[in-house]
Amino acid sequence: MTPPDQQWQNPLRDPRDKRLPRIAGPCGLTIFGVTGDLSRKKLMPAIYDLANRGLLPPGFALTGFARRDWADQDFGQVVYEAVKEHARTPFHQSVWDRLAEGIRFVPGSFDDDEAFDRLADTVKHLDAERGTGGNHAFYLSVPPSAFPTVLKQLSRSGLTDQSGDSWRRVVIEKPFGHDLESAQHLNRIVNEVFPEDSVFRIDHYLGKETVQNILALRFANQLFEPIWNSHYVDHVQITMAEDIGLGGRAGYYDGIGAARDVIQNHLLQLMALTAMEEPVSFSPQDLRAEKVKVLSATKPVGPFDETTARGQYTGGWQGGSLVPGLHEEGGFASDSITETYAAITLEVESRRWAGVPFYLRTGKRLGRRVTEIAVVFKRAPHLPFDSTMTEELGQNALVIRVQPDEGVTMRFGAKVPGTSMEVRDVTMDFGYGHAFTESSPEAYERLILDVLLGEPSLFPVNEEVELSWKILDPVLEHWAARGKPQPYKAGTWGPPSADAMLARTGRVWRRP
Ligand code: BG6
């Protein structure tokens, strides 16, 4: 079999039309942590959606492993309910029936040798019964503290052994560590059991259509690249705002906080795609080389008391209802210093970006749910208008709307109708929903399919993960020494320090 990386290298050796649907070869997927939210809301529905789109092999097998006294049928029922509730595509009984034939369940805990031996037997039987051909991926949708045990068990029970053309892969969910040191430790443990090219670290933002569109926008057009640099760009704002709170997620979130939860991964990946140089090709190696280069050149800007902000939400009005604050939701220690809002300032030390701040912010219970990248341009060096005519003229901006309402907006000045030459900001919009008829697949559909196909482009390698921690660690250390974050009311746009950090350079956050 051609190693996955080489499948991308030489188009002459692979004349297949890349627009044709890519269908996974014979294989099975085992999920650890099937009782969790992620499995139920994202993974199981995504597997059904892939089956529904005809992208899974006919003998595909899905095995669940958990500490439950379930038979195959009980697990099948759990998957069925998850699919009914959360699948993106319409339910077809025939598709479900075919998928259900390949569903298996292995009860057991992670420290139970016998359970893993049973899993190894199940996998062997699947090869014989369903023709999965020895090709199996193991999805660790479990707390990071369980990674080492599960990985050791997979290795001990022979589940990591690949023979001949068959493959074994592991899929790891974030958080990839807690800081640089723990990430390095985790990477060592993973690489003791799986070679790096068999490790797929999920950053589900990279599976979003609009995130991939950053590459199309930048590198398929002539229009933007010439002005994509410090001569024209004033600053970049990357926002991931959520309206939801943390009810029920305290166990995961307390002690982690907004910066570790999403800046270390999703937002730094968005920044890397926005700031990187054009890759030689879209092969996994070339793409990663550029991301690694730009992450290596990225540093947090200090002094952190002035250039960063962090907050914790309190109760307030949001979307017409009164919602509780973090500490009324339960699960958080009353003296918890975990932030639910985080904003940082970064600089990229390169010729292209010298002097251009990149502001990254994220928060729970903010004004509304929106993720966007706004490239804000410098003002025109000269305005040949009467100054009163341009009072309402802002800065040009190109905004990539990642979600919801996926698309791109351009903001520029236009003449206000009338006898005077007054100029005001207007916007020009591209909306995915209007321009294309087909709806975008869910990020997890794309990423699970890529795992089964062995296509690693959209998965960060350990170097990217470690570099991201290196960028964030100094800020986290500073915050840890500062105690409690500033409170902000639910439904607002974060703590006062967030506005202050931009105001010091005369800038303001966008209110999407
Ligand atoms: C996850 C974070 O990675 O992304 C969550 O752990 C967050 O805290 C989620 O809510 C948001 O994902 P999306 O796709 O809804 O923007």
Side-chain angles (χ1 to χ4, degrees):
M1 202 181 78
T2 319
D5 277 8
Q6 283 173 25
Q7 289 170 5
W8 291 79
Q9 274 174 1
N10 184 350
L12 294 176
R13 267 199 290 152
D14 180 14
R16 191 173 160 273
D17 186 337
K18 291 282 196 321
R19 289 168 301 181
L20 295 174
R22 304 165 311 150
I23 300 172
C27 64
L29 175 72
T30 299
I31 303 180
F32 295 95
V34 280
T35 52
D37 251 20
L38 180 76
S39 260
R40 209 165 40 80
K41 291 190 182 152
K42 299 287 181 189
L43 308 184
M44 295 168 185
I47 289 163
Y48 169 80
D49 288 324
L50 287 172
N52 208 7
R53 292 163 62 208
L55 301 177
L56 294 183
F60 178 77
L62 170 65
T63 306
F65 183 106
R67 216 169 29 186
R68 288 284 191 285
D69 195 12
W70 286 343
D72 292 345
Q73 296 82 337
D74 301 317
F75 177 50
Q77 184 61 27
V78 171
V79 182
Y80 177 80
E81 280 160 20
V83 166
K84 278 291 216 169
E85 197 176 345
H86 299 290
R88 178 181 67 89
T89 58
F91 186 80
H92 294 298
Q93 192 63 42
S94 56
V95 173
W96 168 254
D97 289 345
R98 201 158 352 110
L99 188 64
E101 281 169 22
I103 291 185
R104 302 287 182 274
F105 185 75
V106 177
S109 59
F110 298 150
D111 55 6
D112 178 355
D113 289 1
E114 273 177 32
F116 276 82
D117 292 341
R118 280 201 303 277
L119 177 62
D121 281 345
T122 304
V123 162
K124 224 177 274 156
H125 280 124
L126 285 171
D127 289 343
E129 290 165 25
R130 310 267 311 159
T132 41
N135 303 319
H136 295 275
F138 301 97
Y139 200 124
L140 273 54
S141 175
V142 298
S145 55
F147 288 171
T149 316
V150 177
L151 288 164
K152 275 190 201 122
Q153 288 284 21
L154 287 174
S155 164
R156 189 203 53 77
S157 54
L159 281 160
T160 54
D161 299 345
Q162 332 200 10
S163 61
D165 276 353
S166 70
W167 52 257
R168 300 290 159 112
R169 296 180 185 136
V170 68
V171 187
I172 301 183
E173 271 289 340
K174 71 180 186 59
F176 314 121
H178 199 73
D179 54 15
L180 177 60
E181 204 184 320
S182 55
Q184 285 169 331
H185 178 65
L186 175 63
N187 280 332
R188 268 196 304 275
I189 293 176
V190 175
N191 289 145
E192 270 167 25
V193 176
F194 285 95
E196 183 63 14
D197 63 3
S198 303
V199 182
F200 291 72
R201 295 174 185 80
I202 295 258
D203 184 319
H204 79 281
Y205 264 62
L206 294 180
K208 293 184 191 266
E209 286 285 325
T210 29
V211 172
Q212 292 162 49
N213 188 44
I214 300 170
L215 299 177
L217 187 85
R218 291 193 55 199
F219 303 124
N221 297 299
Q222 175 71 339
L223 188 58
F224 307 113
E225 214 46 27
I227 52 169
W228 211 258
N229 56 53
S230 61
H231 296 299
Y232 298 95
V233 175
D234 178 70
H235 69 280
V236 178
Q237 296 187 13
I238 302 184
T239 300
M240 176 184 164
E242 294 186 279
D243 49 6
I244 50 170
L246 282 159
R249 279 188 83 208
Y252 159 75
Y253 204 87
D254 199 12
I256 290 203
R260 287 189 175 91
D261 185 37
V262 304
I263 293 185
Q264 187 273 341
N265 36 75
H266 308 328
L267 296 197
L268 280 171
Q269 284 288 329
L270 293 185
M271 196 224 66
L273 294 173
T274 307
M276 71 182 199
E277 297 302 316
E278 179 180 300
V280 174
S281 77
F282 286 129
S283 75
Q285 302 90 321
D286 290 341
L287 201 54
R288 285 162 180 173
E290 295 308 331
K291 284 201 281 169
V292 162
K293 220 163 81 190
V294 76
L295 289 170
S296 313
T298 303
K299 308 267 174 325
V301 177
F304 297 141
D305 281 334
E306 292 170 23
T307 56
T308 71
R310 108 204 130 99
Q312 249 181 15
Y313 63 82
T314 59
W317 286 93
Q318 194 178 47
S321 35
L322 195 57
V323 295
L326 183 76
H327 291 290
E328 288 110 61
E329 282 180 334
F332 282 85
S334 57
D335 57 353
S336 167
I337 62 162
T338 303
E339 80 283 354
T340 59
Y341 178 98
I344 61 174
T345 309
L346 300 177
E347 66 187 339
V348 181
E349 294 179 337
S350 68
R351 176 176 284 239
R352 184 195 280 263
W353 293 117
V356 178
F358 282 73
Y359 300 114
L360 275 51
R361 66 171 163 166
T362 183
K364 303 277 182 197
R365 285 272 187 242
L366 296 185
R368 60 176 281 233
R369 174 174 183 253
V370 61
T371 300
E372 63 165 42
I373 300 161
V375 179
V376 181
F377 293 90
K378 293 182 173 166
R379 288 179 192 284
H382 172 69
L383 292 171
F385 304 89
D386 190 292
S387 62
T388 56
M389 294 297 171
T390 52
E391 269 170 6
E392 294 197 38
L393 178 66
Q395 283 165 274
N396 295 162
L398 184 83
V399 182
I400 300 170
R401 302 193 307 273
V402 173
Q403 65 186 22
D405 185 24
E406 292 84 349
V408 179
T409 299
M410 201 149 31
R411 187 179 70 194
F412 57 96
K415 181 184 174 305
V416 179
T419 48
S420 64
M421 192 57 180
E422 192 187 348
V423 185
R424 206 183 283 166
D425 282 339
V426 293
T427 55
M428 201 155 76
D429 256 340
F430 149 69
Y432 261 86
H434 296 122
F436 299 105
T437 47
E438 62 264 56
S439 67
S440 302
E442 272 280 322
Y444 277 98
E445 278 173 70
R446 168 78 198 244
L447 296 176
I448 291 174
L449 182 61
D450 279 358
V451 170
L452 303 180
L453 288 164
E455 290 182 1
S457 302
L458 299 179
F459 299 85
V461 281
N462 57 16
E463 205 179 348
E464 290 166 73
V465 170
E466 291 177 12
L467 283 168
S468 302
W469 281 120
K470 216 165 149 189
I471 295 167
L472 202 57
D473 273 359
V475 179
L476 293 173
E477 277 163 28
H478 177 84
W479 286 349
R482 282 287 183 280
K484 256 196 154 223
Q486 246 185 352
Y488 63 96
K489 266 200 162 49
T492 66
W493 283 94
S497 52
D499 289 329
M501 76 180 251
L502 258 66
R504 63 191 273 279
T505 58
R507 298 183 174 105
V508 286
W509 287 111
R510 285 170 46 80
R511 291 278 181 267

